[in-house]
Amino acid sequence: MHEAGVGVTLFYIAVVLLAARLSSLVERFGQPAVIGEMLIGVVLGNLALAGLPFFEPIKQSGVITFLADLGVVILLFQVGLESNIRDMRKVGMSAFLVACVGVVLPMVFVTYVIGPLLLPDLSANAHLFLGAILTATSIGITARVFRDLGVLQMREAQIVLGAAVIDDVLGLIILAVVSAIVTVGTVSAGDVLRIVGTALAFLVSAVVIGQVFAGLLGRMFARVNTGQGMKLTMALSICLISAYLAELVGLAPIVGAFAAGLVLDSVHFHPFARPRFVQDVQATTARIEPQAKAAVDEILDRYTDRHIEDLIEPLGAVMAPIFFVLTGMNVALSSLLDPTFLLTALGITVVALISKIAAGFVAGNVNKWVVGWGMVPRGEVGLIFAATGLGLGVIDQRIFSMIVIVIMLTTLLTPPILAVVVRRGERRGMAVEAASAKA
Amino acid sequence: MHEAGVGVTLFYIAVVLLAARLSSLVERFGQPAVIGEMLIGVVLGNLALAGLPFFEPIKQSGVITFLADLGVVILLFQVGLESNIRDMRKVGMSAFLVACVGVVLPMVFVTYVIGPLLLPDLSANAHLFLGAILTATSIGITARVFRDLGVLQMREAQIVLGAAVIDDVLGLIILAVVSAIVTVGTVSAGDVLRIVGTALAFLVSAVVIGQVFAGLLGRMFARVNTGQGMKLTMALSICLISAYLAELVGLAPIVGAFAAGLVLDSVHFHPFARPRFVQDVQATTARIEPQAKAAVDEILDRYTDRHIEDLIEPLGAVMAPIFFVLTGMNVALSSLLDPTFLLTALGITVVALISKIAAGFVAGNVNKWVVGWGMVPRGEVGLIFAATGLGLGVIDQRIFSMIVIVIMLTTLLTPPILAVVVRRGERRGMAVEAASAKA
């Protein structure tokens, strides 16, 4: 039940939440809120350098780390809810091309060029691992930036989200294959096929089975109770179970959460009662003039239809910032003081940037810079790869720290630049659309 | 960041949430939802007896235990938000009397009568500890039952909540004193005064300082950002920090959460923007006939004013059931197979029931059965006491299990009986009020 010291964890959670909210001041400077959350995380996480180690226990807390993971799971679920399978299908081919190029380029460049050049004393296997680590785009960071800017429905955003899911799958396949090469020295074609097969089977069956079962579950749960709590629990449980199933087949849990959001549609929640408040307003406006009533009803319909997003919103608003503040906190500024370390990290970062921006150029008739920069941030998947390499002994603690710095740099650089690129693109929107209509 | 196995925990959370929701079927039989949550917890937690140990890891999960604690903290915060300092003050004297009698009776009865009678081979110190354990009412269970029944504003409910806070404070003082007696053999009057002083100082300053600071904080935070996320984060952070401060001065975190809810008032959130949806409806109804518009505006005002409760609601709806399901899961049905153990536990339970019901009879001119039964459930505080006794070596593992059974029995028996007593009281409400008007 209640254990001594639970209060301290509650306090740390409050610190993270308040820091995250206060950091939304960056929005005044046109930056997405996520960059503020990561920056204040960097500050909180490095206060020990200034002799103020008050917040160090936050990094070690298993509970807060879990809450951060849960936060990014809920965020990806929200992004999935706001995305749409039909829209995703339209960008399928572009997303697939962007994903493939964005996986092959950093893999080849880092393994065969920049790795041997900047880190000549490492083994060929270490270079291979370094390349693999930099393949997977962090869907969390990019999705959050697009969301903060209110452009999730934009074609470019849909391509990036699709490509990020695909290169997450490709990346996890590469990780499995590279791990096999490093440990066993070789890998059979059968193993590769099995890994690829499971991943694809999960995603396809999530979408196909989900479409059928979500409606069935909705009717079943609504039979027990049509309240708002039931509606929220049903949606959230489908998200959590899908995240678990993704992990079971070897994918990142966030991929499962995204798939769950993609599958759930407002139609699955129609058997539930409308919120009490909507019922109240409807009862009151029943007597007013028909035209005004129609206008109010339209808002109410829109509100009820997207009410599952609204129910999840407070949970997401509380949980997701924990992940981004904690990500910032894990950047050790002290390691930046070693110039060789710093230069090597910067060199790898430049390659990591260029190889993904280049991938944007195969995206077809869209704003290629938005797609390219959208693919830049590496995140949780890259960190899982790095942790796996550390566990296998292919890379050491120093290289691990360097990878964390590279991942953080790609992540910190992206939001402000992506915000600028998106806004510039929006201003030129008319011109681009006119040109594309001509072509 | 992301650790392997996080998906399994997500899955277990989904299991607990779904079980809790499905258990709301008990509402069809007129029972409060909380009893369903605890019963399904007992089933899930004892499936291992039937050879199905799938859910055993849930009990061991540090993360889920923390989420349960967080759930009960958020629940008490909600109860505090729905309570009102002025109403609490009106019942202050009755609450104080009920609390004192409800602490003295079980303490004396168990220590000097039933303890030596049923457990003669235990030491006098163990009997003393057993008595202390049964003093504190679990505000969580009772608050939840009153809330499920929609009678939180009832005078009896306010007396019970007030008395539960007071006997929590009294109980923690007794624990500190009894622990000192057991370990040192004696305790100074200065120590007792210090413990009492800190506890009282916390509660008084929480209410007084809170009244001033909450308004100030509201204006400060609203200056950074007037959005709904900020509003929720501010409210939640005040709750978490207050829970932490309560723990710091030696009280249960839930007491701090309740105090925070009591202090926060809708007025502190007026500097924040109204929800987008309210703004939309207002813009649309601006043109309709004045009388209808006034009616809609009234609903919108009511909605906006209690909007902080509505923002917290989804969080509470998800989190609080985790505590109650987990409480049920920790009941080991297997120990009930030993008849001596069972009879002793039942004997202590009867004393635990009678001594608190008797306390209801000093509540003054209200429904004494509602107050008395409202005081019956012991919960998290009793369990902390028991764990402390186990740590000090005053009681052994067997007595600890017995205490857990007693606490669970008081907790499982209360919701259905309280529901009956409250409903019977409501039917007789007119008669009682008429009689009290005459007196």
Side-chain angles (χ1 to χ4, degrees), chain A residues 308-344:
Chain A
I308 187 66
E309 279 98 319
D310 289 333
L311 276 176
I312 291 276
E313 179 65 37
L315 260 179
V318 169
M319 306 294 297
I322 301 179
F323 177 80
F324 296 102
V325 173
L326 207 63
T327 301
M329 288 188 75
N330 281 311
V331 178
L333 287 183
S334 56
S335 56
L336 296 180
L337 297 176
D338 173 357
T340 325
F341 181 94
L342 190 62
L343 281 176
T344 314

Side-chain angles (χ1 to χ4, degrees), chain B residues 29-40:
Chain B
F29 305 98
Q31 297 301 326
V34 65
I35 189 78
E37 293 169 11
M38 287 198 288
L39 280 180
I40 206 155

Side-chain angles (χ1 to χ4, degrees), chain A residues 120 147 149 154 191 273 360:
Chain A
R147 202 159 179 267
L149 297 174
M154 194 174 63
D191 290 339

Side-chain angles (χ1 to χ4, degrees), chain B residues 16-136:
Chain B
V16 171
L17 294 181
L18 286 176
R21 280 299 153 189
L22 290 177
S23 74
S24 68
L25 273 173
V26 297
E27 288 180 339
R28 301 258 171 100
F29 305 98
Q31 297 301 326
V34 65
I35 189 78
E37 293 169 11
M38 287 198 288
L39 280 180
I40 206 155
V42 172
V43 172
L44 285 182
N46 289 282
L47 277 181
L49 296 179
L52 304 162
F54 309 131
F55 303 121
E56 290 301 300
I58 294 179
K59 298 181 205 169
Q60 262 70 54
S61 165
V63 165
I64 294 180
T65 306
F66 176 81
L67 291 180
D69 288 334
L70 183 56
V72 80
V73 160
I74 292 175
L75 174 65
L76 267 285
F77 181 54
Q78 288 182 294
V79 171
L81 281 172
E82 289 170 27
S83 303
N84 187 303
I85 288 188
R86 264 159 306 162
D87 295 349
M88 291 286 283
R89 234 183 250 157
K90 275 187 224 153
V91 301
M93 202 54 214
S94 300
F96 186 71
L97 280 175
V98 170
C100 289
V101 175
V103 163
V104 170
L105 285 187
M107 184 82 199
V108 170
F109 250 104
V110 173
T111 310
Y112 299 109
V113 184
I114 202 82
L117 199 75
L118 291 181
L119 296 159
D121 45 338
L122 289 191
S123 69
N125 274 344
H127 295 145
L128 186 65
F129 227 96
L130 207 55
I133 288 165
L134 294 175
T135 56

